[in-house]
Amino acid sequence: MAKRKTPSEARVDLLEKSPTVQAAAKQARKPVKEVAKGIEARERRNAAILSEPSEESIPVETPQPKPEPPSLPSHISVNQAAKRLGRSHSATYGLILKGALKSIRIGDSIRVVESSVNDIVNSANS
């Protein structure tokens, strides 16, 4: 009864017949079987490395989305506020000076809190 070859031995036999392996053995001045065994051993090592769990295959807890920060009031220019209120920009500045419109200064410009404009528009419509 003939001895059955292991998959490794069968792979070495196939590699020995390869013209590439034969040329490599000739260039290295080594027996073809020795070169084929070296290639097969390297393929086994690479397969073992690839079968090890990598960082990508390790389950990682997915980060939960961060809660939204509280929304800041949006600000509009004095001219935009004047258009919404149906007044001139001078009259709108007067409302800001009286404190009827909430505003902030950013550099050289004044920005009006949009919700304060909406409050005045809504109270006028009521």
Side-chain angles (χ1 to χ4, degrees):
M1 185 182 226
K3 180 183 168 191
R4 187 177 174 129
K5 290 185 179 183
T6 64
S8 178
E9 292 170 334
R11 179 73 178 136
V12 169
D13 287 347
L14 280 173
L15 287 170
E16 285 177 355
K17 296 174 185 172
S18 164
T20 307
V21 173
Q22 291 174 0
K26 186 175 183 181
Q27 184 179 3
R29 296 183 181 159
K30 292 183 178 179
V32 176
K33 187 153 197 102
E34 184 180 329
V35 172
K37 282 182 181 181
I39 292 171
E40 199 280 327
R42 188 174 32 233
E43 286 176 350
R44 260 188 289 124
R45 276 194 310 273
N46 290 345
I49 290 170
L50 291 174
S51 67
E52 292 175 359
S54 66
E55 290 180 20
E56 292 139 8
S57 64
I58 297 172
V60 177
E61 185 176 320
T62 55
Q64 297 297 323
K66 293 181 180 178
E68 290 289 325
S71 62
L72 298 173
S74 59
H75 299 88
I76 58 175
S77 70
V78 175
N79 285 335
Q80 290 171 325
K83 285 180 185 176
R84 286 194 190 176
L85 294 170
R87 297 180 177 230
S88 68
H89 73 276
S90 298
T92 307
Y93 277 112
L95 292 172
I96 292 170
L97 290 174
K98 289 180 188 174
L101 281 176
K102 295 178 186 173
S103 65
I104 61 168
R105 180 173 288 279
I106 302 174
D108 289 338
S109 66
I110 294 176
R111 297 291 175 192
V112 180
V113 177
E114 190 172 19
S115 61
S116 70
V117 174
N118 294 336
D119 291 344
I120 291 176
V121 170
N122 292 337
S123 67
N125 291 336
S126 297

